[in-house]
Amino acid sequence: MNFQIEIDGVLTDIESTQTILEKCKELGINIPTLCHHEDLGSQKVCGICIVECDGKFLKSCETYPEKGMVIKTRTPKIVEKREKILKEIMKNHPNDCLTCEKSKGDCELQNISFEYNIINRNLTDIKRYEIDSSSSGITRDMNKCILCEKCVAVCKDIQGLGIYEVIENNGVREIVIRDRKKLGETQCVSCGQCVKVCPVGALTEKNSVTELNRILKNSEKHIIVQMAPAIKHTIGEEFFIAPGVDVTSKMVGALKKLGFDKVFSTDFSADVTIMEEGTELIERLIKGKGKLPMFTSCCPGWVNYVEQSYPNFIDNLSSCKSPQQMFGALGKSYYSDTLNIPKENIYVVSIMPCTAKKGESERVQMQEAGVRDVDLVITTREFAKLIKMNNIDFNSLPDNLTYDSFMGMGSSAGRIFGSSGGVMEAALRTVSHILTNGQLNQIEFENLRGFENVKSGEISLGDRIVKVAVINGIGSAKKVLDAIERGDVSFDFIEVMACYGGCISGGGAPIPDNLEVRKARMKGMYSFDSSSDLRKSHENIEVINLYKDYLKEPCGHKSHHILHTTYSKKIKA
């Protein structure tokens, strides 16, 4: 049913199921919000989104149309009311915007306060809560919390974990961690989705930018950097470039200006991952070497979830390290040995869309004799901060730069690792070639792409039908794991990404991040793939040389030592 209502003096048609807030956004009318997110809806608690109807204030996020409504969105009374709400929030908000991780664009409270000219004159040091730094990837400072409840919603309703909850004592609401634990003591997988939806600095990724900036300016080590596939199609958003646009050249230029000795790509090690993981899958399918279904192990949030919540599936995880860790391990072995640089003198930096990658680099299994595969990880947002703090004009950088050779070439199969279904599709391109002796060279598996919770299919590979599935999000993974345990479903190979849409939606991705933005990012990534001349991992000449000159064969003795890992049960009460 449709109604005709008036908004700011203009008649407009509105569906009965559409809120006033949704309609105003559709019309381009700016209504401030703090507890609303396009993917989560509204938590209906902040009250900043008020509009006026017949002299009464209504929350636009929960108000549905009625015939003949006359809505006003910015009367003097509305402005006064919004200012009052903001001032009330600021009474209990720390005045440390200069050093806050969410400052300069990512803080929704700061942005709205600028719009309404609200100045935080609170000069007292508000420290009611101890800062929680127990997580490997996320810092939690509840002194800055404005009780919007978006972290509660995304963790419970989207990820199915329910780490956070709202309590009320003597009329005072708080957002706490379930069972009053620290974040690092819970079953949090460090996916970082709560960080992305937090409108202030209460939840942020752990800051590594300051440390990296100092290292680049003072270290005598040989510093090499890798960039994850998703970064190429997302970092531009931090510099007013549309989502999905490939800005690889500008990133290379920025990294060279920052002082890195070599600029490489994780697309290369994603191709190596396909060689190892594809071979491992074939050995499990044909030779019975390992349990089925085999799960991908590229996503550290997913690996954390299995170790903590479903340890009975640990043996189903591929033993392959993630592309990030494979790159680091090869940097400290293949690159080190070939260029005759002691591995202790090589410093490997990763730029990742993922907060969980910080913890992955710290795992004891990801080091040898005290030398870590990857020394430091920054997120996409941190990379943007690093560029800005060094006064690099990103948009003026050239568009014809390429990665350094040796570990810089990647196929478009490696590139689509950044998108949900991409790891599966890249693997099938190579596995189908191997199992059919080159007779089946299918490139595209479009039924495995997209944002559905679970996508599945059957692939004919020679004499064998392989059942595959692609899972979006931890919440969806739980349902599939339970169904496997009950015997309701069976698969041979399953890709799981902790974040909906894959790495393009990682916890370290640019803000704002919603479904429409992610669709544009994914479209850009597959557009790159469709126009690429190199679309299969096994045809990457740098990968071919790696095996010919150093590793000899996938899943061989040397590659297993360098590129594979183990997992362990980590149940947290």
Side-chain angles (χ1 to χ4, degrees), residues 531-548:
S531 62
S532 173
D533 294 328
L534 178 60
R535 303 186 69 187
K536 299 176 183 177
S537 299
H538 58 275
E539 294 178 354
N540 182 342
I541 188 62
E542 290 189 355
V543 172
I544 293 171
N545 289 337
L546 166 67
Y547 284 98
K548 177 171 66 73

Side-chain angles (χ1 to χ4, degrees), residues 521-533:
R521 294 169 181 170
M522 186 178 288
K523 182 179 179 181
M525 187 164 285
Y526 282 112
S527 177
F528 172 86
D529 174 49
S530 65
S531 62
S532 173
D533 294 328

